[in-house]
Amino acid sequence: MDARQHELSADEWDEVNFPRPQEQGFDKVVESAISRRGFLGGVLAFGSGAAVMGTGLLKSTTALAQQTSRFAFEQLAPQTDGTVHVPEGYTWDVLVRWGDPLFSDAPAFDAATGHPSAGSDRVFGENTDGMELFNVGGKELLVVNSEYPNPKINLPAAQEGKVASAEDVTLLQNIQGVSVMEIAEGPGGWSVVVDSPFNRRIHHNTPMVIDGPAAGHALLQTDADPTGTQSLGTFNNCGSGRTPWGTYLTCEENFNGYFGATEEVAADQPVMDGYKRYGVSTKVDPGRYNYHGFDSRFDITKNPNEPHRAGYIVEIDPANPESAPVKRTALGRFKHENAASALTPEGRVVVYMGDDERGEFMYKWLSNDIYVPGGDTSTLLRDGQLYVAKFNDDMTGTWVPLTPEATGMDPAEIAIFTRTAASKVGATTMDRPEWIAVNPTAVEAYCCLTNNSRRGVLNDDGSVRTNAGGDPMTVNPVNPRETNRYGQIVRWRPHDNNHGTDTFDWDLYVMAGNPDVHVEGPYAGSANINAGNLFNSPDGMQIDTTGLIWIQTDGNDSNEGDFAGMGNNQMLAGDPATGEIRRFLTGPNGSEVTGLTWSSDKRTMFVGIQHPGKPFPDGEGSLPRSSIVAVKRKDNALVG
């Protein structure tokens, strides 16, 4: 394997291992693709005051500027350096970094070399991502995902990122997963309560319970677990969510990169179609992390069913350190970004989910049973119906149930090969659906569609590029740009003000773009994009208790060409009532800003800084360390 593969994003790695024909001229895009001029004015609508959603009330920049701003800060200018910036009147400090101890027996962190494998499950994990805060008996418990490792940083420098031993594998396995930790604010600011009885590391070898329709199925059975009901580890934990009953949902995204083959895999193996659909490589090479070279559990020639045991939403009880995490297979298997919960008027549980890959889909779960505070919650993520989204050209949409009748698959097959089920019912291919957020002040939800370099691109034979299941990625109103390099955010409002209904209206809250580079047209972006708030690739998203949308980016921070004037990745605040968007925070160059939650008193926001490219936060002479920063107002007023 080329050592540079360690530096590829998950999408880039998939492209290398599952190549498709390269882009051809845009003039060959099928004529049935809807013209930009015809629909852009219709899908971009701002403001809860629109009498009918989707009537095409595209406000001008002047009109937006005349709205009374709800923001308690002045817009931050773009930044290109190696640290965090916040607006005047706010401060930030580091709460915790990769390698910081959660327990007093944790190994010491060396600024130049990191920490050893021994005890690596006793420290805060690498590459922070989704997070949620829970108040349990007056204690503040922060639960944080650690998405993936950086072998060039985490392993000895002389190895140049190459995994060379079982000890290396164990270190990488331990620094991923989930950290549960008590935090407290003192005179010197926020810090981790070392040795708190709530502190816990959940990693790639932590025992899990498999629940739902896939539990016990032959495709989940292995030599180590012939029942198919117990597994080890949760993988590539990206976004997060919380349930109404106070548990944490961690989402397994690019799990395919952990598996590989040490011998040739026969092309007629029954698992091959599933491997291709989910991007599990059958090449005989070390892959991204070479787990399979030292841990046979990840070798698909020895354990062909092991990949079927990853790609789920995992429920964790932060209040009970002895509880086993539960893989909720009823919510489907795909590259989960996050899980956004809501309740219907009668109390049924809704969970919205995105599958973060080019041309994949958006999903919804609806429980059969009703949530009763203090009651039994064991069935709420087990018994119900999984749906997939279909967006219509008239700015309505439908949640299509994934049933045996509609798909020709049994419930276990739907849970294990959810992408195939969604393809069979004609779901709308999306531009990498990432974080979804439900507005607590209105019956509506939003999804970040981060980018899609394949949208509308043609193969050599003139056909449009497809996802891994063969679904064409033609241009459509909800994904309106060829080679979408900037991304957009779609909003929908369920009919009858009920998240449980099968139908909804939709529009685009924002289309990111660069009006300084593209004076007009779709790549200039929507009217709420201007020279002051440029960004690309919206990824993370949360909506605070006041209804403000906090948008986090994971895109191109070169500050050149199409991305000139955007600076580093950032966090912006958006007002859904006016469409106004302002930059609030910038991360270090090379980093992704991802993960956001608040202290119980809403006077501190916790923000994740993943894979900084500079020696952040400790400065020259130190390894770069993914971190969580605590942001406060200087007057200690509310921040969310």
Side-chain angles (χ1 to χ4, degrees), residues 205-531:
N205 290 296
T206 300
M208 310 262 157
V209 173
I210 300 174
D211 174 82
H217 192 275
L219 286 169
L220 269 66
Q221 295 171 4
T222 65
D223 289 344
D225 174 30
T227 69
T229 60
Q230 306 285 328
S231 68
L232 294 179
T234 179
F235 304 96
N236 207 256
N237 304 85
C238 188
S240 59
R242 63 189 302 139
T243 65
W245 51 96
T247 57
Y248 182 75
L249 301 178
T250 185
C251 303
E252 299 184 323
E253 192 188 19
N254 296 300
F255 62 90
N256 55 308
Y258 298 104
F259 300 94
T262 56
E263 300 174 14
E264 183 110 12
V265 180
D268 59 354
Q269 284 272 6
V271 294
M272 287 296 284
D273 286 344
Y275 287 170
K276 180 180 179 182
R277 189 73 171 91
Y278 286 86
V280 177
S281 177
T282 57
K283 295 180 180 178
V284 181
D285 68 23
R288 284 177 77 84
Y289 308 121
N290 200 20
Y291 277 19
H292 56 287
F294 300 94
D295 186 339
S296 62
R297 179 157 64 102
F298 299 89
D299 183 352
I300 61 173
T301 60
K302 296 181 174 66
N303 287 290
N305 281 344
E306 195 66 35
H308 302 148
R309 295 150 67 86
Y312 301 102
I313 285 179
V314 181
E315 185 179 15
I316 298 169
D317 184 356
N320 182 3
E322 303 303 318
S323 61
V326 180
K327 294 202 171 189
R328 296 294 188 179
T329 67
L331 276 63
R333 175 173 170 263
F334 44 89
K335 293 183 179 180
H336 285 277
E337 180 70 17
N338 84 314
S341 299
L343 292 174
T344 67
E346 68 271 25
R348 297 168 75 188
V349 176
V350 171
V351 183
Y352 291 113
M353 300 163 284
D355 184 353
D356 182 11
E357 190 171 305
R358 300 178 186 97
E360 291 300 339
F361 310 118
M362 279 174 43
Y363 298 87
K364 181 179 82 169
W365 166 260
L366 179 64
S367 70
N368 288 337
D369 294 333
I370 291 173
Y371 166 61
V372 177
D376 179 23
T377 61
S378 62
T379 66
L380 297 179
L381 300 180
R382 178 190 304 148
D383 300 332
Q385 181 60 58
L386 185 63
Y387 299 79
V388 69
K390 184 180 290 187
F391 289 81
N392 302 319
D393 292 355
D394 64 358
M395 299 181 64
T396 65
T398 304
W399 292 104
V400 181
L402 298 179
T403 62
E405 295 75 20
T407 64
M409 304 164 68
D410 66 37
E413 292 171 333
I414 293 170
I416 300 167
F417 299 120
T418 311
R419 286 180 168 180
T420 301
S423 292
K424 288 188 173 187
V425 300
T428 301
T429 62
M430 307 294 283
D431 286 349
R432 290 186 57 199
E434 300 224 39
W435 281 72
I436 295 175
V438 174
N439 192 340
T441 68
V443 184
E444 62 184 18
Y446 298 71
C447 180
C448 288
L449 303 173
T450 193
N451 55 51
N452 186 351
S453 62
R454 300 176 189 163
R455 175 68 63 181
V457 174
L458 300 184
N459 297 316
D460 291 332
D461 63 1
S463 62
V464 176
R465 294 280 288 268
T466 72
N467 63 15
D471 304 304
M473 290 187 285
T474 51
V475 171
N476 57 52
V478 74
N479 305 279
R481 293 179 287 192
E482 301 155 350
T483 318
N484 177 15
R485 62 183 67 95
Y486 292 125
Q488 66 266 9
I489 297 176
V490 63
R491 166 175 57 187
W492 65 96
R493 293 188 181 130
H495 290 169
D496 302 323
N497 288 319
N498 183 349
H499 284 291
T501 58
D502 292 350
T503 56
F504 57 89
D505 296 319
W506 68 268
D507 64 12
L508 294 181
Y509 170 68
V510 64
M511 278 182 24
N514 196 329
D516 289 349
V517 174
H518 306 279
V519 178
E520 59 183 17
Y523 298 104
S526 50
N528 51 349
I529 295 297
N530 55 66

Side-chain angles (χ1 to χ4, degrees), residues 100-132:
D100 282 347
L102 301 187
F103 304 93
S104 55
D105 62 356
F109 188 90
D110 186 288
T113 62
H115 56 72
S117 179
S120 53
D121 58 348
R122 310 289 281 174
V123 302
F124 181 67
E126 173 66 301
N127 279 329
T128 174
D129 208 311
M131 66 179 90
E132 299 285 348

Side-chain angles (χ1 to χ4, degrees), residues 555-596:
N556 188 310
D557 63 359
S558 66
N559 206 36
E560 298 175 349
D562 283 332
F563 308 98
M566 296 185 179
N568 295 347
N569 279 303
Q570 55 194 281
M571 184 168 77
L572 309 100
D575 186 343
T578 67
E580 184 185 7
I581 295 173
R582 282 190 193 177
R583 184 181 299 106
F584 175 81
L585 175 149
T586 59
N589 186 261
S591 73
E592 170 188 352
V593 180
T594 180
L596 171 66

